[in-house]
Amino acid sequence: MSSSGNDEKNEDEDEAAAAVVEAVSADNPRKRQRKETSPQPVFLPQEGEKPTPQEKKSKKQDGWMHFYNKLVAYKAKHGSVEVPQRFKDDPALGSWCKNQREYYKNFCNNKTSSLTQERIDLLNEIGFAWLSTKTQRRVVKDFDAHFEELQEFKRENGHTRVPHVYDPNPGLGVFCH
């Protein structure tokens, strides 16, 4: 191959690498530039190459939508979205639902979560239960007992501002927060 052929190949490779770096940088908010540009083409990795972070993110989004669609189909068949955690027909769907609840808890507590507001809205639209049936039963049962304890706390203290860590009754502190 002539040196001009190598130069052309190197230029093409340099342009492709620059496009990938630019696409990856666009995903990183610290490196994001203010000016809006048209989306850069995504170059698929050659056999044996690792996928870019952008390609990994796209696969995760596709995976989330795959399970979301399975949940919609479950609702159409069963009339609810309360998938048992150990659902025999599709154990992965039950686990996925459990994980969404955990991600939601993290999202609400401003912790790292793969759940976005868009995904929360989609799940809310189909009536997703953010508490499992087992947890709902426990909360209702515990609510009555803790409410009585809170009334007693108010009689003794004149207010209902129970500290989060309340040594005489740790469960009441957690209940109130």
Side-chain angles (χ1 to χ4, degrees):
M1 193 187 279
S2 70
S3 67
S4 65
N6 283 338
D7 290 342
E8 286 178 22
K9 183 178 178 185
N10 288 340
E11 284 179 27
D12 290 342
E13 289 175 357
D14 290 344
E15 287 176 22
V20 169
V21 168
E22 188 173 331
V24 171
S25 296
D27 267 359
N28 187 338
R30 291 185 202 137
K31 294 182 181 178
R32 188 175 293 146
Q33 296 178 358
R34 282 274 162 211
K35 71 175 190 173
E36 292 295 322
T37 59
S38 61
Q40 296 295 318
V42 176
F43 295 95
L44 298 176
Q46 297 295 324
E47 191 173 325
E49 292 180 1
K50 293 182 179 179
T52 66
Q54 188 176 19
E55 292 163 350
K56 286 181 183 178
K57 184 177 178 181
S58 177
K59 282 185 179 181
K60 283 182 183 179
Q61 288 171 337
D62 291 346
W64 191 92
M65 284 306 295
H66 171 75
F67 278 101
Y68 173 78
N69 289 330
K70 287 174 102 173
L71 183 59
V72 170
Y74 178 93
K75 181 179 181 180
K77 182 177 181 180
H78 299 280
S80 79
V81 291
E82 295 181 17
V83 181
Q85 184 176 343
R86 293 188 176 110
F87 182 46
K88 290 180 182 178
D89 294 346
D90 190 349
L93 181 60
S95 294
W96 182 83
C97 289
K98 176 185 175 280
N99 290 339
Q100 299 316 297
R101 291 183 184 101
E102 187 66 30
Y103 299 151
Y104 181 72
K105 187 170 85 174
N106 290 341
F107 181 88
C108 291
N109 290 320
N110 294 320
K111 293 181 180 177
T112 302
S113 173
S114 62
L115 202 58
T116 63
Q117 187 61 53
E118 179 183 333
R119 290 177 176 181
I120 291 168
D121 293 343
L122 285 170
L123 289 167
N124 283 336
E125 285 176 17
I126 61 170
F128 187 76
W130 293 108
L131 295 176
S132 68
T133 304
K134 181 179 175 182
T135 302
Q136 289 174 16
R137 277 191 240 122
R138 190 186 77 237
V139 167
V140 169
K141 179 181 171 189
D142 292 349
F143 179 86
D144 293 334
H146 287 310
F147 186 70
E148 288 178 22
E149 293 168 350
L150 181 59
Q151 289 174 323
E152 178 65 28
F153 180 91
K154 183 177 181 182
R155 280 191 292 278
E156 293 174 6
N157 298 286
H159 61 81
T160 57
R161 295 181 306 275
V162 181
H164 186 71
V165 178
Y166 181 57
D167 290 332
N169 186 344
L172 181 60
V174 171
F175 170 75
C176 292
H177 293 275

